[in-house]
Amino acid sequence: MVINKKVLRTILDNKAQYIGSLVLIIISCLLFTMLNQLAINMNASSEDFRESYVQEDASFISDRRLENLEALEANFNILIEHNKVVDYSISEEVIIRVFSEGTKVNKPAVIKGEAVGENGVMLDPAFAEANKLEIGDSITLLGRSFTISGYASMPNYIYPIKEETDLLNNPNAFGIAIISKAAFDEVKQGSSFYSIRFNDSEMLEQRMAQFKDYLKSQNVSILKWTNTSENPRVTLVSTKIEGMNQASSAMPVVILLLSCVLTGIVIRKMLKRESVVIGTMYALGYRKLEIIKHYMRYPMLIALSGGIVGTILGAFTMNPMLKLMLKYFNLPLDKISYSLQYVVISVFLPIVFLGVSCYFVIWKALKSSPVELMKGGKDKGKVGFLEKGLKLNKLKFATKFKVREQLRSVPRSAFLLFGVILSTVLLLYGFAAKSSIDYMIKDSYGEVFKYQYEYVFNGLQLEAPQSGERFSVSPFELKEDAKTSFAVYGVQPDSKLIYFKDKNGNNLSTDSIIITKPLADRLELKPNDSISVTNKLDSRQYSIKVAAIAETYSSESIFMPLRQYNELLGYPSDSYLGLWSVEKLDMPADMLLRSATADDFKKAFDAAIEPMQKVIGIIAFMSFLVGLLIIYVVTSLIIEENKITVSLMKVFGYRKKEVYSLILNSSSFIVILGYALGIPALLALLKVLFASLAESTSINLPVTINYIYLVMGFFVIIFAFELSKHLSKKKLNKISMNEALKASME
Amino acid sequence: MFLKVESLKKSYKTGEISTQVLKGVGMCLDRGEVGVILGPSGSGKSTLVNIIGGIDRCDSGRVMIEGADITQHKDNQLTDYRREQVGFVFQFYNLIPNLTVGENIEVVSNISKKPLDIDSVLKAVGMLDKKFRFPRELSGGEQQRVSIARAVIKNPKLLLCDEPTGALDFSTSREILKLLQQINKDFGTTILMITHNTAISALANRVYRMRSGEIVEETINESIMSAERIEW
């Protein structure tokens, strides 16, 4: 049809509105493709890694070495491997955790270079890069020299964090190294641990309990037991992939819905503008279907071009993103694959979404008769019930004008409101996450835990320490729900290094059983409630009665007096597993399972937060762009709708500033309201996200946001608004006074 | 003279083609007079009134309002001129559809230095009882009354009316003309009206007939007919 020639011309005449829809679709498809393809590759890589390199189901430390591993393997249908580990300080600030090479379980994947050989060592690539260590370089570890043979990843250390309680890794200060078993035996250092993999993964918990019972029957005490499902070095990856899966479906769909609303509004405006043309086409004998087909070309053109461009951009950006993620998580990758299914969905989703929404809009607009259409449409000059119903008589003229302007097109105002809410959520998301982590760090290492050094022994200690405060810790899970796990600490009843407060700010004595708030919330516990728990080390069940709830987000834990702890678990009454101290203690390395300092943690946090700040900056910039785009498009719609009014105002002698104020500032209330509503929306979203994080990683983050960030966010949104106003001024200036003279409005 | 137009020329260019719309037009009006410009479509009457109203510019010539040549005005001076001295009445009323009658008038009173009282003006045009109605809820004649109220609310010295009765039936047109005559009498407003309708020229002090961008005839009426007696 010859009329189709005007499709491109019309789009070019109203570029801003159509480009707005196009960019939103591109962003949506870019995110959809990138996140989905990323998740698929990460998932495949993680699954492949788990299977090909025999990821452990659990690891444990026992008080003595196990005999006859072959018999255990046969009896329990498992693979079990004994290995050693030791932390070695390369310098004051840099620690490298050296493992003996797993040959049956947790086999290292060589990412680059070669396997260790006799004198070789493999490093995790992020650590090597951060410390400028290259393949072929020599490195001294544990008193002897090794040659770096390659870079590797271990299936139980995919995310190489130093402590299980760490949130973020810091490759500048911590990394892992793998040397051969023979080389490890030579240096005669380190503690033993066992990695275990069940050949049959059915009823894993039960099989583990049987295995633990057997060890107990052989008088073997398990000092530490970590299920892979609770190992943050593994689970953080699955959490991230899961998060990506959620984001890859939710975010693009929200943006796509926004673009549907926007395109719907733009099409409706166009149909209103063209009602005389449509009426004439009807009168000339065009059928309704032919006219619908013509007008469907507009959204289809936008959807198809946006879908294709966005999908291509998504596919291109996936590669560098994947490399970044793999570096972050240390996963081996053989090849990058693209799922055709998601490519097809990405291209066709906007077509379906926009097709349906715009068909409805067009179909509704064409319900009028040709005569009505030729007179400018049924709705011409129609005043909505909201406008009619509102009594604005007492307001100033400018206020009345602005209110009516927003009420004239409720979908347009709603689009602006949701657009600003979305921008606010995106903008503040990073800031709120940072605030929450900051708060947790301050809470943990400022308010609650006053120690600087933590030492954990590789066996129970009976002799009184020369200095430091004794503690013990053991992993537990809820009797009814094995997925709910937490730590139970035995601490000195008069502890000077832990300070807990209740919700009223009163100090709590460590002479009673105290539960931290996140755990109490999760288990829905009140003071004096009891819970039935299972010790993960021996699978025995206990009942613990909680006396008080501590208002801290530092961990999901229960603290009880050490004597009571020992009595409960059947340990010698004065025994302990670790020491906390303000001063550095002189401890023989072979006695220690691990040691950490609060300063290390803070430094690691500061180093690790750096890339996060960059990500926050990128997200903030993206959200600024989305906000700017949405506000700009809505402003241009308002100008388009008010062409005649603006022209009239000019005829009446309105000055430029007065026209700007009335037309461009009419959305300011909605922008501010959108920002204000965005804050609770963000907090609600973070609550859900943090709850899911706590469930999968036991890391509890309080939902909070610093006021400074709120003020900053407000200024960013207002800046986007002011910039869009500035960009729109040219359009207002272009409207000539002749528009009013040519018009026949009513 | 309150209004004096001298040798006004204006041409429009469309690509290579230049069309001369005004070919040296001259006219004048005394304060408080009613002037009518008659002429067929394309004769240049709207262009002339647009230039007098300060919403278009001429190529050459002068438009003197109370001795000041507005063709020499800069854009902001022209804005001030329109804002303070000129009122416009359009053939198709040009009311803002999503503002009530009262609010449509406020559009102008809002920027006037000494606007008249809205209710008084609405009462004068017989629309006070419809102050809170929207334009869609009014007839054509009522909308033109609102348009006139909007034009006079700032008490302009010059009221420019472009075919004010062009879209109305005879009896409504007569009512509107009565209203304009009354405003001229009550407020002393100088009125310049464009029309196709020769009958309306009986209401004017001066009548200018235009053809092809020129004034071909100027008539000064010795006696002015009352709008009540007008017939066509």
Side-chain angles (χ1 to χ4, degrees):
Chain A
M1 279 198 295
V2 71
I3 53 162
N4 292 332
K5 280 185 178 177
K6 77 182 187 70
V7 174
L8 260 181
R9 291 174 198 158
T10 310
I11 288 177
L12 289 174
D13 281 347
N14 297 280
K15 284 189 280 293
Q17 297 161 18
Y18 291 100
I19 287 174
S21 302
L22 185 72
V23 172
L24 280 179
I25 292 168
I26 289 174
I27 293 174
S28 162
C29 293
L30 186 154
L31 288 174
F32 183 86
T33 304
M34 186 187 75
L35 293 173
N36 274 305
Q37 303 283 5
L38 195 60
I40 287 170
N41 277 285
M42 292 274 292
N43 235 341
S45 173
S46 165
E47 277 300 308
D48 188 48
F49 195 27
R50 180 185 145 72
E51 290 310 318
S52 306
Y53 296 88
V54 198
Q55 188 184 63
E56 66 187 15
D57 287 320
S59 70
F60 64 92
I61 297 164
S62 56
D63 63 343
R64 59 192 175 85
R65 187 131 183 202
L66 304 184
E67 302 297 331
N68 202 355
L69 295 181
E70 289 77 14
L72 278 175
E73 286 183 334
N75 287 345
F76 289 94
N77 190 23
I78 55 174
L79 289 174
I80 184 165
E81 182 167 5
H82 167 257
N83 268 309
K84 282 181 135 187
V85 62
V86 68
D87 280 0
Y88 178 77
S89 296
I90 289 184
S91 66
E92 185 83 1
E93 311 248 302
V94 183
I95 286 179
I96 189 158
R97 186 160 293 166
V98 187
F99 287 89
S100 57
E101 184 186 14
T103 50
K104 278 198 284 187
V105 184
N106 293 336
K107 293 193 277 186
V110 181
I111 291 170
K112 195 177 172 189
E114 291 171 6
V116 287
E118 217 170 282
N119 292 313
V121 59
M122 291 193 291
L123 302 176
D124 83 73
F127 175 80
E129 191 188 322
N131 291 279
K132 298 184 176 65
L133 295 167
E134 289 182 11
I135 295 171
D137 288 355
S138 286
I139 182 172
T140 302
L141 294 172
L142 310 167
R144 64 164 280 194
S145 175
F146 290 91
T147 305
I148 299 170
S149 65
Y151 303 140
S153 175
M154 281 169 65
N156 58 333
Y157 260 77
I158 301 174
Y159 188 52
I161 44 176
K162 190 175 172 216
E163 304 299 333
E164 284 171 14
T165 47
D166 286 355
L167 269 179
L168 301 156
N169 70 337
N170 176 12
N172 294 315
F174 179 76
I176 58 168
I178 302 150
I179 59 173
S180 69
K181 276 194 164 74
F184 218 118
D185 287 342
E186 264 179 47
V187 296
K188 293 189 172 56
Q189 286 184 47
S191 7
S192 294
F193 70 96
Y194 292 90
S195 301
I196 175 170
R197 162 88 177 221
F198 288 80
N199 292 326
D200 183 358
S201 57
E202 291 280 308
M203 299 165 76
L204 206 56
E205 291 293 325
Q206 245 178 323
R207 284 166 194 272
M208 284 185 187
Q210 284 168 2
F211 181 73
K212 286 182 216 170
D213 282 346
Y214 172 77
L215 292 183
K216 201 172 175 64
S217 70
Q218 300 298 305
N219 291 325
V220 175
S221 292
I222 298 170
L223 300 174
K224 188 172 190 284
W225 178 282
T226 308
N227 288 343
T228 299
S229 58
E230 289 154 4
N231 176 2
R233 291 162 182 131
V234 175
T235 55
L236 272 170
V237 183
S238 33
T239 307
K240 196 82 189 172
I241 296 173
E242 182 55 34
M244 230 170 342
N245 275 332
Q246 285 170 0
S248 58
S249 49
M251 273 241 298
V253 168
V254 169
I255 297 175
L256 200 55
L257 283 176
L258 269 177
S259 62
C260 280
V261 176
L262 175 63
T263 317
I265 295 170
V266 170
I267 297 288
R268 210 172 71 164
K269 297 272 173 266
M270 181 189 65
L271 293 172
K272 259 189 179 176
R273 217 169 39 230
E274 298 217 335
S275 77
V276 178
V277 177
I278 299 168
T280 312
M281 280 160 73
Y282 262 144
L284 291 173
Y286 274 85
R287 290 193 182 88
K288 191 172 182 176
L289 191 66
E290 287 169 331
I291 299 172
I292 289 179
K293 262 183 173 172
H294 166 71
Y295 284 103
M296 281 299 285
R297 282 171 185 260
Y298 293 83
M300 290 300 101
L301 186 67
I302 301 285
L304 191 67
S305 45
I308 292 171
V309 173
T311 306
I312 292 171
L313 287 177
F316 273 117
T317 46
M318 189 271 275
N319 203 343
M321 266 309 268
L322 183 62
K323 281 184 181 152
L324 185 78
M325 295 297 273
L326 292 179
K327 202 167 116 185
Y328 185 60
F329 283 128
N330 199 12
L331 269 170
L333 180 74
D334 288 339
K335 61 176 172 53
I336 294 174
S337 56
Y338 288 92
S339 157
L340 185 67
Q341 184 194 343
Y342 280 101
V343 169
V344 172
I345 293 175
S346 178
V347 172
F348 284 97
L349 207 60
I351 293 179
V352 173
F353 268 59
L354 257 74
V356 172
S357 58
C358 290
Y359 180 85
F360 179 71
V361 170
I362 295 167
W363 176 80
K364 207 179 155 206
L366 296 185
K367 270 165 76 179
S368 304
S369 72
V371 177
E372 280 170 334
L373 285 165
M374 279 198 284
K375 282 181 183 170
K378 231 195 306 194
D379 294 340
K380 195 185 171 201
K382 202 174 167 185
V383 180
F385 73 96
L386 273 174
E387 283 182 85
K388 264 189 187 173
L390 271 186
K391 300 281 176 240
L392 304 170
N393 307 334
K394 288 187 178 162
L395 297 177
K396 276 186 185 169
F397 171 72
T399 315
K400 274 191 279 195
F401 186 90
K402 288 171 190 170
V403 172
R404 291 207 185 279
E405 199 45 59
Q406 294 309 311
L407 291 179
R408 194 199 291 187
S409 174
V410 175
R412 182 193 71 203
S413 301
F415 166 74
L416 177 64
L417 184 71
F418 286 114
V420 176
I421 290 176
L422 178 76
S423 300
T424 305
V425 169
L426 279 174
L427 179 69
L428 296 181
Y429 174 80
F431 293 131
K434 189 175 178 300
S435 286
S436 299
I437 296 171
D438 279 345
Y439 183 87
M440 197 198 74
I441 302 294
K442 195 176 150 234
D443 179 53
S444 300
Y445 289 93
E447 310 291 330
V448 179
F449 301 115
K450 303 287 184 186
Y451 58 81
Q452 286 296 314
Y453 297 87
E454 182 185 75
Y455 301 94
V456 179
F457 298 105
N458 51 19
L460 277 178
Q461 305 295 304
L462 296 169
E463 283 178 26
Q466 287 180 344
S467 58
E469 213 176 275
R470 294 172 298 165
F471 76 92
S472 275
V473 61
S474 194
F476 278 77
E477 62 196 21
L478 208 58
K479 186 183 156 193
E480 296 84 18
D481 176 16
K483 282 181 185 165
T484 306
S485 56
F486 47 90
V488 175
Y489 282 85
V491 297
Q492 287 193 193
D494 52 350
S495 177
K496 301 278 183 291
L497 299 179
I498 315 175
Y499 284 91
F500 288 129
K501 286 185 175 172
D502 65 12
K503 66 176 175 187
N504 300 319
N506 302 318
N507 286 332
L508 295 172
S509 162
T510 48
D511 199 9
S512 59
I513 299 181
I514 296 167
I515 185 168
T516 58
K517 191 175 185 308
L519 185 59
D521 287 348
R522 194 164 164 191
L523 304 180
E524 295 174 359
L525 286 182
K526 295 187 297 295
N528 298 320
D529 282 354
S530 292
I531 44 167
S532 296
V533 296
T534 306
N535 187 325
K536 285 197 196 176
L537 300 184
D538 58 12
S539 295
R540 279 169 61 195
Q541 288 170 5
Y542 303 90
S543 176
I544 297 175
K545 190 178 176 187
V546 172
I549 296 170
E551 202 74 9
T552 171
Y553 286 88
S554 57
S555 62
E556 284 195 341
S557 312
I558 292 175
F559 292 81
M560 61 170 68
L562 185 58
R563 201 174 286 268
Q564 199 175 344
Y565 172 92
N566 285 334
E567 198 179 297
L568 184 78
L569 299 182
Y571 295 150
S573 65
D574 288 327
S575 65
Y576 58 96
L577 195 60
L579 288 173
W580 286 324
S581 166
V582 178
E583 304 294 330
K584 190 173 182 182
L585 303 179
D586 191 18
M587 292 282 170
D590 59 351
M591 280 179 72
L592 292 177
L593 182 62
R594 61 187 165 89
S595 65
T597 77
D599 272 351
D600 283 349
F601 182 78
K602 283 177 194 164
K603 277 181 198 159
F605 175 76
D606 287 342
I609 208 83
E610 250 183 57
M612 189 179 162
Q613 273 165 341
K614 278 181 199 158
V615 174
I616 290 172
I618 293 168
I619 294 175
F621 182 68
M622 286 273 288
S623 56
F624 167 76
L625 279 186
V626 170
L628 178 67
L629 186 76
I630 289 168
I631 298 171
Y632 178 66
V633 169
V634 169
T635 310
S636 74
L637 281 170
I638 291 174
I639 293 172
E640 168 73 28
E641 278 172 23
N642 280 290
K643 246 183 178 171
I644 308 298
T645 307
V646 171
S647 174
L648 264 181
M649 285 175 168
K650 287 184 178 180
V651 169
F652 293 151
Y654 272 74
R655 296 197 177 97
K656 277 181 185 175
K657 273 188 181 173
E658 291 164 338
V659 177
Y660 294 159
S661 166
L662 282 174
I663 303 293
L664 300 179
N665 284 343
S666 63
S667 313
S668 53
F669 172 72
I670 293 196
V671 171
I672 293 167
L673 180 68
Y675 183 76
L677 291 176
I679 296 167
L682 166 76
L683 297 180
L685 176 76
L686 281 180
K687 206 173 169 187
V688 174
L689 287 176
F690 287 175
S692 132
L693 183 75
E695 213 159 273
S696 52
T697 63
S698 298
I699 293 165
N700 269 282
L701 289 173
V703 177
T704 179
I705 182 160
N706 196 316
Y707 287 110
I708 292 171
Y709 294 137
L710 289 182
V711 174
M712 271 167 61
F714 181 73
F715 280 115
V716 171
I717 293 288
I718 292 298
F719 178 63
F721 181 49
E722 290 298 326
L723 187 59
S724 83
K725 275 164 57 181
H726 181 74
L727 294 171
S728 304
K729 281 181 182 171
K730 221 171 150 187
K731 279 188 184 170
L732 275 180
N733 294 340
K734 264 189 184 171
I735 298 174
S736 89
M737 286 183 272
N738 281 327
E739 296 279 348
L741 306 177
K742 284 186 286 181
S744 55
M745 291 173 76
E746 273 289 334
Chain B
M1 278 290 154
F2 172 73
L3 164 70
K4 193 171 183 189
V5 177
E6 293 172 352
S7 312
L8 205 63
K9 287 185 183 173
K10 171 79 179 173
S11 57
Y12 289 110
K13 266 191 179 172
T14 315
E16 302 261 306
I17 305 160
S18 175
T19 313
Q20 191 142 25
V21 187
L22 298 177
K23 300 169 181 168
V25 170
M27 65 163 288
C28 55
L29 271 183
D30 261 334
R31 181 185 294 278
E33 280 188 340
V34 175
V36 162
I37 303 174
L38 291 168
S41 296
S43 58
K45 26 184 218 305
S46 289
T47 306
L48 173 62
V49 167
N50 287 349
I51 294 170
I52 294 171
I55 53 179
D56 203 353
R57 285 190 180 274
C58 60
D59 298 337
S60 64
R62 298 204 299 172
V63 176
M64 312 292 290
I65 302 286
E66 289 189 315
D69 184 2
I70 64 161
T71 61
Q72 301 303 312
H73 280 7
K74 289 177 180 162
D75 281 352
N76 55 348
Q77 287 174 304
L78 272 184
T79 303
D80 287 344
Y81 163 67
R82 290 196 304 274
R83 191 183 177 101
E84 285 151 25
Q85 302 193 41
V86 190
F88 288 91
V89 176
F90 306 99
Q91 180 179 2
F92 295 104
Y93 336 124
N94 283 16
L95 299 178
I96 298 172
N98 65 329
L99 297 183
T100 61
V101 165
E103 288 163 1
N104 262 288
I105 294 166
E106 268 188 84
V107 171
V108 175
S109 70
N110 180 48
I111 54 164
S112 301
K113 276 183 183 163
K114 285 180 185 170
L116 304 174
D117 177 57
I118 292 176
D119 286 358
S120 309
V121 173
L122 277 176
K123 197 176 171 191
V125 300
M127 292 297 293
L128 185 59
D129 56 333
K130 287 169 183 164
K131 186 180 175 184
F132 300 111
R133 297 262 183 98
F134 286 93
R136 193 182 156 89
E137 298 163 340
L138 305 176
S139 69
E142 286 172 329
Q143 288 189 51
Q144 193 58 297
R145 282 169 185 273
V146 177
S147 168
I148 292 168
R150 181 179 63 183
V152 299
I153 190 74
K154 64 171 130 176
N155 198 8
K157 290 176 181 164
L158 178 63
L159 186 60
L160 300 173
C161 309
D162 189 353
E163 299 272 9
T165 59
L168 304 172
D169 60 36
F170 167 69
S171 63
T172 315
S173 295
R174 189 163 58 184
E175 292 305 309
I176 292 299
L177 292 170
K178 271 165 69 183
L179 184 60
L180 287 172
Q181 214 166 40
Q182 189 194 331
I183 285 164
N184 170 251
K185 198 175 140 198
D186 293 352
F187 299 104
T189 313
T190 309
I191 297 177
L192 182 60
M193 219 184 303
I194 294 175
T195 181
H196 283 97
N197 193 339
T198 45
I200 294 176
S201 57
L203 308 181
N205 301 91
R206 292 169 195 264
V207 181
Y208 294 93
R209 197 177 287 271
M210 285 187 76
R211 192 183 303 143
S212 304
E214 288 173 307
I215 304 269
V216 292
E217 187 185 326
E218 181 185 356
T219 314
I220 298 175
N221 286 335
E222 293 301 323
S223 61
I224 313 290
M225 186 191 280
S226 160
E228 276 175 16
R229 291 174 49 220
I230 199 163
E231 293 286 346
W232 65 76

